[in-house]
Amino acid sequence: MRLLGVGMCAAALVLGVVAAPAQAADGPGELRGARWALKETGKDARFRGLAAVSRSTAWVAGSKGTVLRTSDGGRSWRDVSPPGAVAEALELRDIEAFDGRRAVALSIGEGEASRVLRTEDGGATWTEAFRNPDPRAFYDCLTFFDSRHGLAMSDPVDGKFRILSTDDGGRSWRVLPDTGMPDALPGEAGFAASGQCLVSAGPRDVWLATGGGPVARVLHSSDRGLTWRVSESTLPAGDPARGVFALAFRDRTKGLAVGGDYRTGQASPQAAAVSRDAGRTWTPATAPPPAYRSGAAWFPYGAGAALAVGPTGTDVTGDGGRTWRALDAGSFDTVACTADGACWAAGEKGRVGRLEGARRG
C-alpha cells in the first residue's frame, strides 16, 4: 500500500546498548527475562524487511536499496546491497532467505518500482528476477513455502488482489489467474510495513492481510494461492491508515493478527486478534497491545509464546495472543524468530536487535 512510503515517527533510539524492558514479562509460558540487545549496523536505512535464518545469521532490507547480512550474531554486518537498487533508491520492504547465501528481496512501488531480486552468493551479486510491467500493480509482500515455491502479492488490480508465483526458488515468476480470488472491498489494499502482509505455514497454506477498507480482512489459501477464502478480522478498519498489518501462523491453524492505525497519536483499540481455525474466525485479544503494531512472530519455545512490535514498543504473550504485556518501549517495524530459538527485530535508523535472556516458560 502506497501510504506507507513515508516513515512513521517513533521513540528516540539509543543504538549499541541493551534496551531496558519497560515491564518484565513473568507469567507462565511468557518470555521471562527477555530483552532486546541492539546490534550496531552503521546504517541509517529503515529496515522493514527481515529474514532470520538462525541465531548467527540474519538479513535485513530497507530504504535506499540497502541490504545487510550478518553471520556472527550481529557483531558485524556486511553491506550486500544490490547496486541497481541503491542507484535507484528502491524501497526494499521484504526479504526471504533460505540460508546465508540464498535470499530473495522485494522492492515496492507502482509499476516498475515493484521488483524481485535474487542472490545465490550471499549478496555478492544479484539478479533481477521480476520487474512489474503493469502500472496498476503495487507489490507489498512475499513469502516462501520452501526453497522452491513462493508467492508475492500486489494491491488489487481490476478489483482483485494479484498473486505472483514461483516454483524455482525465485528465478522466474508468473501471475496466477484471479478466478479463485474474492473481490476486493472499496479502498482495500495490503500494508508494506513489515513483510508480513503475506505469510505461509507448511507446504501449501498462505494468508493475506488487508486494510484500508470498511473491514480489515484476512484471506486464506490452502492451494498455494489458486483459490482463497475470506474472513473478517476484529482489528480497526474504515480508514486508509487502519487494518491488519501483520500475520503470524505457528502452524496451519493457530494464527495472530496485529495492526491498528499507524498514524502517530491515533488510538488503536483491539490491535490484535487470534485464530484457532486457520483464519476462518478471529477473536479479539482480551488485553491487546496498547498501540499500533506492525510485526508479529511466534517464539519457537512454548506453544503460546509470541512477540508483537511497532514504533512504540514490543509486547509479548504467553497464552497464544489472548493477553499481551509490554516488554520494551523501543521502535521496531518487523520481527522474526528461528527454529534454534533466536528472535530478531529491525526498524528505523538502522535499528536491529536480537532477543537475549529468553527462557522457556
Side-chain angles (χ1 to χ4, degrees), residues 94 106 139-143 151-153 191-192 194-198:
D94 200 354
L106 173 74
Y139 286 87
D140 297 294
C141 295
L142 60 84
T143 189
L151 301 177
M153 60 80 70
F191 289 109
S194 60
Q196 296 178 322
C197 59
L198 185 73

Side-chain angles (χ1 to χ4, degrees), residues 13-355:
L13 308 177
V14 181
L15 295 179
V17 299
V18 174
Q23 179 181 355
D26 56 7
E30 294 191 24
L31 297 166
R32 294 182 294 169
R35 66 194 186 280
W36 289 115
L38 301 185
K39 308 296 182 178
E40 177 64 58
T41 64
K43 300 291 183 180
D44 64 355
R46 187 161 198 165
F47 294 123
R48 295 185 186 273
L50 168 65
V53 177
S54 67
R55 183 171 180 80
S56 61
T57 302
W59 303 66
V60 291
S63 57
K64 297 177 284 190
T66 308
V67 178
L68 305 182
R69 176 176 58 83
T70 183
S71 58
D72 57 11
R75 289 190 297 273
S76 64
W77 294 86
R78 176 169 294 183
D79 188 335
V80 294
S81 305
V86 173
E88 296 188 54
L90 296 181
E91 285 285 333
L92 299 173
R93 294 292 182 91
D94 200 354
I95 186 166
E96 303 289 328
F98 309 117
D99 48 42
R101 297 185 60 80
R102 298 174 297 159
V104 179
L106 173 74
S107 69
I108 68 162
E110 296 177 337
E112 292 189 353
S114 284
R115 305 177 195 178
V116 178
L117 308 173
R118 185 178 186 275
T119 182
E120 293 184 330
D121 54 15
T125 60
W126 292 84
T127 301
E128 184 178 292
F130 172 79
R131 181 179 296 210
N132 172 37
D134 191 336
R136 301 170 300 169
F138 185 109
Y139 286 87
D140 297 294
C141 295
L142 60 84
T143 189
F144 274 83
F145 303 94
D146 51 43
S147 62
R148 294 185 56 83
H149 301 91
L151 301 177
M153 60 80 70
S154 163
D155 290 342
V157 177
D158 293 330
K160 294 184 177 182
F161 285 93
R162 176 169 287 182
I163 303 297
L164 199 65
S165 174
T166 181
D167 60 8
D168 56 11
R171 295 179 180 86
S172 62
W173 297 80
R174 65 186 181 93
V175 175
L176 293 182
D178 66 2
T179 52
M181 175 66 72
D183 291 339
L185 301 176
E188 191 174 31
F191 289 109
S194 60
Q196 296 178 322
C197 59
L198 185 73
V199 301
S200 56
R204 305 189 68 83
D205 287 274
V206 59
W207 294 263
L208 187 161
T210 83
V215 179
R217 305 195 298 174
V218 177
L219 283 68
H220 171 226
S221 171
S222 58
D223 55 12
R224 293 182 181 163
L226 293 176
T227 60
W228 297 80
R229 182 184 64 249
V230 64
S231 64
E232 296 185 0
S233 80
T234 59
L235 272 66
D239 186 278
R242 298 174 186 163
V244 180
F245 281 72
L247 298 168
F249 274 80
R250 178 176 285 281
D251 51 40
R252 70 176 312 272
T253 60
K254 300 182 182 67
L256 302 172
V258 300
D261 189 320
Y262 81 88
R263 294 171 296 190
T264 303
Q266 294 295 311
S268 291
Q270 298 184 340
V274 299
S275 176
R276 294 295 179 266
D277 55 10
R280 291 184 182 87
T281 60
W282 292 89
T283 302
T286 56
Y292 155 78
R293 295 293 179 253
S294 56
W298 290 95
F299 189 63
Y301 302 144
L307 302 100
V309 302
T312 61
T314 299
D315 303 287
V316 296
T317 178
D319 56 16
R322 292 188 295 274
T323 61
W324 295 83
R325 300 182 63 176
L327 175 73
D328 180 83
S331 172
F332 287 116
D333 291 316
T334 187
V335 61
C337 298
T338 65
D340 63 356
C343 294
W344 295 80
E348 65 176 358
K349 297 182 181 179
R351 181 178 164 96
V352 177
R354 191 182 67 184
L355 202 67

